[in-house]
Amino acid sequence: MKNLFTFYGGVHPPDQKNTSNHPIEEMPIPEKVVIPLIQHTGIPSKPLVSLGDTVLENQKIAEAAGHISVPIHSSVSGKVTDIRAFLHPVIGKPVESIVIECDGKHRVFKPEKTHVDYYRYSPKDLIQVIKDAGIVGLGGAAFPTHVKLSPPKDVIINNIIINGAECEPFLTADDRLMREYSKEVIEGTKIIMYIMDAMKGFVAIEDNKQPAIEIFKKIVFNEPNIDLAVLPTHYPQGAEKQLIKVLLNREVPSGGLPLHVGVVVDNVGTAYSINRAVKEGENLYNRIVTVAGNGIETPKNIKVRVGTLISDIAKFCGGTTKDLAQVIMGGPMMGIAQTSLDVPVLKGTSGILFFTKNDIIDRQYFDCFRCGKCIRVCPMELFPNALSIYIENGRIDEAKAFHPLDCIECGCCAYTCPAQRPIVQQIKWAKTQINKK
Amino acid sequence: MNEKKPDNNLIVATSPHVHAPINIQKVMGEVLIALIPAVIASLYFFRLYAFKVLFIATASSVFFEYIWQKVNKQPIRINDLSAALTGILLALTLPPTIPWWMIIIGSMVSVILGKQVFGGLGHNPFNPALVGRAFLQVSWPQAMTTWVTPFDAVSTATPLAIKKLGLQEVIPSYFDLFLGNCSGSLGETSALALILGGIFLIKREHIFAITPFTYIITFIIGILAFGQDVLFHVFSGGLMLGAFFMATDPVTTPMSKQGKFIFGLGCGILTVLIRLKGGFPEGVCFSILIMNMTVPLIDKYTIPKPFGVKKG
């Protein structure tokens, strides 16, 4: 097994992975889906269908609008009933979306060609397949995967890391995927390694997922070029810069990308989707989502179609409790609180958490007393307290001396601050101010 | 921040949505716990004298914090225990026989001039307890240098004063100095109790070991350079209290590790110089106050390079 290095800082929130032993359940097809045209980092996709069109499951309904963009596919068969702005769970504002009413017939679009013997095709062809399948990073940021797999010509990628750390509390979607679809994950890893011509691949799993580790131990035994890396449970272990540091002791340069140190990091879900797309021609229109928290009657791991509304998911999971107070898309450390249950699941949605009144944290905060706990936990080795004080006083120019743009927004500082200061929120705000200029 | 309630009563706030089980009160509480050995040692050696000083200092510190916040129509925050901590720390720097009214004045100076006038917890440039002590020291030098022996409270000088002024009194053994069985301020006497508390604070990640470590090592090197008795100097006076509890006060010391190193270094050098070459037998209090002044400058030049920026 791989020997590991460490990264500075980090925190150990209670992992609360109570759904880790709930097998993935496939959610029945909902009555309607709402598919936003922005589901990835980059340029919004362009719709290819119009009102009244009949579409098939797996059919392309929006095309990529440039290099850093991906197409979008229908997750159900049915009729396009509306194309309008619809509340977006991540952006928080209405975004143009395609509304499809399901016909319940489950008619699936069959691709002309699959690439089961992927090694007979050139990496370039396979990257096109991945782009056409609409694949984005499924860990949360939803960056188009084909862009990651097309580094500049002078860059040599020698390591692939498949990220199964899943360091956010509550989330168990990647854990379940690794347990139930381990072969597909490994096949996807091999496809990525083939495309990048990488010598070595790692599947990285945090040590709080022993059953998944046992499964992968057996699998990698037959894969000479793929190693299993069992990581200590340590938030934000799954952040790509920290993951690379722990596995390879390389530091991604400030402002740089993993490819600058010869590495590509992909989520286990992404590897799984790549395998599906390449070998079976299945485009990315469903994913595994953890539904958890005290505010939902029956927490589950579900396989759900992109565009399914959270309100339908809540119904499928037994409904919400009376004291429901907060709904979060993603994990508790970095997830986004929702203003409404009528928002769709996106390609990048890893979890939906339902919190009750008792789970809500006290947001009253006090002046910084420089205890330095945020400095101890910041995995980017920043001074969150100094940033927080300068930003609070609107002195963004002075805050720049403390490298706000290097912040990965993991939230360790705000999590650990005894004065409960909203440090990461302030830094995020400052980053948008700086980037505006 | 950004908290609003939409129609369906969902609470919307930015991430993270969970918080570590910690707050200011718990941090201050743990520092108070770390002081328990020193408090017990002072009660053991100085009995009712120690109790009187500890009680008056703590009660009046909390009282003055309350009054200030009340008068200035601020939220009352005596529950965060920072005033209580200032009171205990001040008490530990005072001689057992100090008159009760001086303790009250010292507490007032600590809390109001040392902290509140600057804007309260987090804004004070100087260690509040040391501000109070320094005020008393220059105002009533007589009372602040009247010492008694442990247990029977017979008038005597501190070991440092005996040595510095060449008095005809017996200097306690190293072991007595280490345990605290000697004359001195309440909490300055027992090195053992203070080291125990300091280790607790380091283990609980409330202070960085680098500050007391640098302070004490620099101090030892300085004493050796002047050819003096190292064990005697390390275990007598306020070095341990200063190194573990005052020079580590996060509000008034540098943020970065390099900064903390420079701070410890400066404190060590100044303490040696004041003890051996200055007018006072002890220099910990003034060393730390002087170094407090340099903190903004140290902070400015010791911003570390973040992850991903080439070091060195």
Side-chain angles (χ1 to χ4, degrees):
Chain A
M1 222 175 296
K2 181 93 179 70
N3 51 347
L4 300 172
F5 304 90
T6 53
F7 67 90
Y8 178 91
V11 293
H12 297 92
D15 70 7
Q16 314 241 39
K17 298 197 183 259
N18 305 325
T19 50
S20 62
N21 287 322
H22 294 36
I24 299 167
E25 285 179 51
E26 176 142 12
M27 183 171 156
I29 302 174
E31 281 174 19
K32 74 164 183 186
V33 291
V34 176
I35 303 178
L37 293 171
I38 305 179
Q39 293 197 40
H40 51 266
T41 311
I43 310 161
S45 315
K46 271 192 275 181
L48 291 173
V49 292
S50 38
L51 217 58
D53 283 1
T54 306
V55 294
L56 303 176
E57 185 176 321
N58 203 25
Q59 180 188 330
K60 183 148 86 168
I61 54 173
E63 63 180 350
H67 181 54
I68 305 182
S69 182
V70 288
I72 293 172
H73 303 84
S74 176
S75 54
V76 295
S77 65
K79 201 167 135 190
V80 177
T81 56
D82 211 349
I83 299 178
R84 66 173 172 94
F86 204 94
L87 184 62
H88 192 282
V90 174
I91 297 167
K93 281 186 264 190
V95 162
E96 195 175 18
S97 309
I98 299 171
V99 182
I100 301 169
E101 211 145 281
C102 310
D103 57 13
K105 289 181 188 147
H106 200 263
R107 289 171 301 152
V108 183
F109 171 77
K110 288 269 178 291
E112 294 158 23
K113 189 173 163 189
T114 56
H115 303 73
V116 180
D117 302 329
Y118 61 86
Y119 37 81
R120 291 181 191 276
Y121 300 88
S122 72
K124 214 177 147 201
D125 291 343
L126 294 177
I127 288 171
Q128 191 59 41
V129 171
I130 288 167
K131 181 175 183 183
D132 291 342
I135 293 175
V136 297
L138 297 188
F143 188 76
T145 301
H146 68 271
V147 182
K148 239 187 206 180
L149 299 182
S150 328
K153 281 209 179 79
D154 54 336
V155 170
I156 294 168
I157 302 294
N158 41 32
N159 292 107
I160 303 296
I161 300 173
I162 300 302
N163 186 353
E166 202 168 49
C167 57
E168 276 264 14
F170 288 96
L171 303 187
T172 55
D174 289 350
D175 184 9
R176 290 312 309 182
L177 181 87
M178 288 189 286
R179 287 200 223 177
E180 297 179 36
Y181 298 98
S182 50
K183 289 213 173 68
E184 285 88 338
V185 170
I186 282 290
E187 284 305 304
T189 309
K190 282 153 76 177
I191 296 172
I192 299 170
M193 287 173 70
Y194 168 73
I195 292 174
M196 301 313 298
D197 197 18
M199 296 177 297
K200 193 86 199 166
F202 298 101
V203 177
I205 310 177
E206 272 192 355
D207 61 9
N208 59 359
K209 293 180 260 295
Q210 282 305 325
I213 289 168
E214 290 307 317
I215 291 168
F216 273 86
K217 257 186 201 161
K218 286 180 194 136
I219 292 186
V220 299
F221 188 73
N222 295 321
E223 302 292 345
N225 298 325
I226 302 177
D227 262 1
L228 172 66
V230 179
L231 313 169
T233 300
H234 183 184
Y235 183 86
Q237 186 76 259
E240 66 186 9
K241 290 181 180 182
Q242 278 62 35
L243 192 58
I244 293 168
K245 169 82 178 154
V246 167
L247 277 173
L248 301 165
N249 204 23
R250 295 181 205 159
E251 277 192 22
V252 177
S254 170
L257 294 168
L259 64 90
H260 293 126
V261 290
V263 184
V264 163
V265 183
D266 273 315
N267 180 265
V268 284
T270 315
Y272 167 82
S273 301
I274 287 175
N275 181 58
R276 300 284 286 183
V278 169
K279 292 196 177 166
E280 304 183 24
E282 183 187 291
N283 300 315
L284 178 57
Y285 63 83
N286 58 36
R287 64 158 297 141
I288 319 290
V289 173
T290 299
V291 182
N294 292 326
I296 190 86
E297 291 293 346
T298 45
K300 286 177 177 177
N301 293 298
I302 55 174
K303 185 170 183 182
V304 55
R305 287 151 202 275
V306 169
T308 306
L309 297 179
I310 293 184
S311 48
D312 288 334
I313 291 173
K315 258 181 238 153
F316 177 64
C317 294
T320 55
T321 58
K322 277 194 186 124
D323 53 353
L324 175 74
Q326 196 170 48
V327 176
I328 295 156
M329 184 171 276
M333 293 297 287
M334 291 182 76
I336 295 163
Q338 300 299 315
T339 53
S340 163
L341 291 181
D342 287 318
V343 288
V345 163
L346 309 178
K347 290 176 181 177
T349 304
S350 48
I352 302 164
L353 305 181
F354 294 85
F355 280 0
T356 63
K357 280 189 193 104
N358 297 333
D359 303 320
I360 302 290
I361 56 170
D362 180 12
R363 297 263 177 181
Q364 189 195 8
Y365 69 94
F366 301 98
D367 287 351
C368 172
F369 63 111
R370 295 174 36 117
C371 68
K373 294 201 184 296
C374 53
I375 300 174
R376 282 179 191 260
V377 300
C378 178
M380 295 309 289
E381 301 167 47
L382 306 176
F383 272 11
N385 58 342
L387 281 164
S388 166
I389 292 167
Y390 280 120
I391 296 164
E392 187 177 30
N393 291 297
R395 290 156 68 176
I396 308 259
D397 283 334
E398 282 154 286
K400 280 184 195 161
F402 296 91
H403 314 282
L405 295 179
D406 284 301
C407 171
I408 58 167
E409 306 177 7
C410 64
C412 288
C413 48
Y415 172 80
T416 208
C417 178
Q420 281 128 329
R421 293 174 64 76
I423 307 173
V424 69
Q425 295 89 320
Q426 292 165 330
I427 300 174
K428 279 189 218 171
W429 179 79
K431 281 167 79 174
T432 60
Q433 296 300 307
I434 294 169
N435 287 331
K436 256 186 215 167
K437 282 177 192 168
Chain B
M1 195 191 197
N2 298 339
E3 204 162 332
K4 56 180 187 234
K5 278 203 163 188
D7 302 338
N8 54 14
N9 286 326
L10 287 179
I11 294 169
V12 179
T14 50
S15 61
H17 305 284
V18 283
H19 194 274
I22 192 168
N23 55 36
I24 298 176
Q25 189 186 33
K26 280 189 188 159
V27 174
M28 297 295 169
E30 293 209 354
V31 182
L32 286 173
I33 289 170
L35 283 168
I36 286 175
V39 168
I40 289 175
S42 72
L43 290 171
Y44 175 74
F45 290 119
F46 298 111
R47 308 292 156 107
L48 271 179
Y49 288 106
F51 179 77
K52 177 198 73 181
V53 179
L54 283 163
F55 179 78
I56 297 176
T58 312
S60 50
S61 291
V62 174
F63 173 76
F64 285 117
E65 175 125 321
Y66 177 84
I67 290 296
W68 175 275
Q69 288 169 344
K70 194 87 187 161
V71 168
N72 288 288
K73 301 191 173 66
Q74 294 166 354
I76 305 298
R77 285 178 57 196
I78 52 173
N79 284 344
D80 70 15
L81 298 178
S82 81
L85 178 59
T86 301
I88 299 255
L89 282 173
L90 173 67
L92 292 177
T93 67
L94 299 177
T97 50
I98 184 169
W100 60 270
W101 54 272
M102 280 188 206
I103 307 173
I104 294 177
I105 291 173
S107 304
M108 187 178 76
V109 171
S110 284
V111 169
I112 292 179
L113 291 184
K115 187 173 80 176
Q116 290 296 354
V117 291
F118 295 105
L121 180 62
H123 298 285
N124 47 303
F126 298 103
N127 186 310
L130 290 182
V131 170
R133 183 198 149 91
F135 182 88
L136 293 177
Q137 175 128 31
V138 293
S139 306
W140 294 282
Q142 183 79 40
M144 285 296 286
T145 49
T146 301
W147 309 100
V148 293
T149 55
F151 307 119
D152 45 8
V154 176
S155 268
T156 181
T158 63
L160 281 174
I162 296 170
K163 198 139 198 173
K164 183 149 197 166
L165 306 174
L167 302 178
Q168 296 299 316
E169 287 187 50
V170 183
I171 291 174
S173 70
Y174 295 142
F175 192 62
D176 278 342
L177 286 171
F178 180 65
L179 288 182
N181 189 10
C182 57
S183 64
S185 305
L186 290 189
E188 291 186 343
T189 52
S190 177
L192 174 67
L194 292 163
I195 292 170
L196 284 178
I199 290 172
F200 174 77
L201 286 184
I202 293 167
K203 283 269 170 234
R204 297 290 298 159
E205 301 198 335
H206 291 307
I207 64 171
F208 284 86
I210 189 163
T211 319
F213 193 76
T214 320
Y215 191 169
I216 293 167
I217 296 290
T218 311
F219 178 81
I220 288 172
I221 293 170
I223 294 292
L224 281 174
F226 282 102
Q228 297 277 338
D229 182 346
V230 171
L231 281 180
F232 170 79
H233 273 286
V234 168
F235 293 132
S236 53
L239 180 68
M240 293 297 162
L241 183 64
F244 285 106
F245 290 93
M246 307 287 195
T248 55
D249 167 26
V251 179
T252 58
T253 59
M255 296 187 286
S256 69
K257 284 201 176 147
Q258 302 99 296
K260 287 174 199 292
F261 173 78
I262 297 169
F263 188 86
L265 198 73
C267 286
I269 293 169
L270 287 173
T271 307
V272 171
L273 289 178
I274 296 174
R275 267 199 199 180
L276 301 181
K277 300 288 164 196
F280 292 100
E282 174 57 308
V284 171
C285 170
F286 288 114
S287 307
I288 296 173
L289 286 173
I290 291 167
M291 286 309 290
N292 284 162
M293 286 191 277
T294 66
V295 168
L297 195 66
I298 295 176
D299 271 344
K300 190 175 171 184
Y301 290 105
T302 54
I303 303 171
K305 296 205 167 81
F307 181 99
V309 175
K310 285 231 166 58
K311 311 281 195 286

